[in-house]
Amino acid sequence: MKQSERIGAKIGYIFSHNHFYIENALESYNLKGPMFAFLLTLSHKDGCSQEGLARYLNLSKATATRAIVALEKEGYAYREKDDDDRRIYRVFISDKGREVIPLINRTLHEWNQILLSEFSEEEEAIFRKLLDKAKDTLIEFDRGSEN
């Protein structure tokens, strides 16, 4: 396989630009790494367990813990022990966290506009469909490797 045919390298290039763009846009809010993804998830899964958040975002428990501790430090989220199982921490978005959700969504929309700016409507629809298909394939792969 030729170097130019390596799909992973192309995906990596897009991912690194995505990361750089979002971190720069959210820099003044001290949202680094996956912190914004946790906030977005909490905006519709408030009170989820730390482990559930990690699983939902397909990140390690250690990464989840670091991100949540950082969100707490910045005042964007807080944790409470579960009433039924004291080993479990539930994570909640704070009012300050809710205030930055529109900015995060706007930033992600701007990034999508940049990424897709040279696509026709048809190409964008095909691209999105192919990305969904690749994601679904990996979800099935993960399920198979769990067994």
Side-chain angles (χ1 to χ4, degrees):
M1 180 180 289
K2 293 181 187 174
Q3 182 72 12
S4 63
E5 294 175 341
R6 288 185 44 231
I7 294 170
K10 293 174 184 180
I11 292 170
Y13 186 84
I14 292 168
F15 177 81
S16 66
H17 275 69
N18 173 72
H19 179 80
F20 180 76
Y21 183 86
I22 292 168
E23 277 216 349
N24 276 345
L26 302 176
E27 183 177 28
S28 63
Y29 295 88
N30 248 359
L31 291 170
K32 296 176 178 24
M35 291 168 68
F36 80 93
F38 281 90
L39 276 181
L40 282 178
T41 304
L42 287 171
S43 72
H44 64 274
K45 287 184 165 289
D46 206 21
C48 189
S49 70
Q50 269 187 225
E51 187 175 335
L53 283 169
R55 202 171 35 253
Y56 181 80
L57 293 169
N58 201 26
L59 296 169
S60 71
K61 290 178 189 178
T63 298
T65 300
R66 282 191 300 275
I68 292 164
V69 167
L71 287 169
E72 277 187 306
K73 181 180 172 192
E74 294 298 325
Y76 293 122
Y78 60 95
R79 292 182 292 176
E80 293 180 358
K81 289 203 180 227
D82 185 274
D83 290 335
D84 298 327
D85 186 342
R86 304 300 285 168
R87 296 170 298 172
I88 297 173
Y89 278 101
R90 299 276 169 199
V91 186
F92 299 89
I93 190 170
S94 68
D95 290 340
K96 182 180 178 183
R98 286 198 192 286
E99 289 174 10
V100 296
I101 295 298
L103 171 68
I104 294 169
N105 283 325
R106 190 168 45 254
T107 300
L108 294 173
H109 177 75
E110 289 168 359
W111 168 250
N112 285 345
Q113 294 297 108
I114 292 166
L115 180 65
L116 302 172
S117 63
E118 297 297 316
F119 287 35
S120 68
E121 285 184 34
E122 182 181 354
E123 289 170 330
E124 180 181 338
I126 292 167
F127 183 67
R128 288 178 183 275
K129 186 174 181 176
L130 292 172
L131 287 173
D132 286 340
K133 190 173 185 177
K135 179 184 168 193
D136 292 345
T137 299
L138 293 176
I139 289 170
E140 285 303 312
F141 175 80
D142 289 345
R143 282 189 191 135
S145 61
E146 287 174 358
N147 296 331

